[in-house]
Amino acid sequence: EVQLVESGGGLVQPGGSLRLSCASSGFDFISTHMKWIRQAPGKELEYVSSINSGGLTTYYADAVKGRFTISRDDAENTLYLQMNSLITEDTAVYYCGIGLVGTAGPRGQGTQVTVSS
């Protein structure tokens, strides 16, 4: 059974940083492309970032490019998202998911990120 468990969310002031983690199990993590997606209040799911299996190639939505960094630790079956220079528009529930593009596919229960002064 695929399990994805996100953590690391919280309340942060504009300009602050957070690091999200996603512990994965039940599938071959090393061979799987992974991604982060988010859903802001009242909005649809939005693609944030993805990383290919092996971690050599990363992709970012324009809204987060230059501020967020996706990474993975294949030894720990864990996906990360380092978020810097956070803005209020980054407020959302963040999910990790399987795949390289889009918002479809298996995902975890999410972790809330709130950017507010």
Side-chain angles (χ1 to χ4, degrees):
E1 178 188 2
V2 171
Q3 288 198 331
L4 302 166
V5 181
E6 303 91 339
S7 61
L11 174 63
V12 62
Q13 292 186 342
S17 298
L18 282 174
R19 189 193 195 203
L20 305 184
S21 300
C22 172
S24 306
S25 62
F27 63 100
D28 185 8
F29 182 82
I30 294 175
S31 301
T32 303
H33 306 320
M34 298 294 294
K35 64 188 174 187
W36 288 97
I37 58 179
R38 67 185 181 185
Q39 188 166 29
K43 296 189 176 181
E44 296 184 349
L45 283 169
E46 175 189 23
Y47 166 85
V48 175
S49 179
S50 54
I51 186 168
N52 72 338
S53 61
L56 294 180
T57 306
T58 58
Y59 306 89
Y60 298 93
D62 288 343
V64 307
K65 199 171 294 182
R67 301 188 296 119
F68 290 11
T69 303
I70 190 171
S71 62
R72 61 191 295 158
D73 183 341
D74 288 344
E76 297 294 330
N77 285 5
T78 302
L79 179 72
Y80 298 101
L81 185 68
Q82 177 67 44
M83 306 187 295
N84 299 329
S85 303
L86 284 161
I87 59 178
T88 56
E89 290 80 3
D90 294 322
T91 295
V93 178
Y94 284 72
Y95 303 90
C96 69
I98 292 176
L100 205 56
V101 298
T103 60
R107 63 178 186 265
Q109 84 291 343
T111 186
Q112 176 71 48
V113 172
T114 302
V115 184
S116 175
S117 55

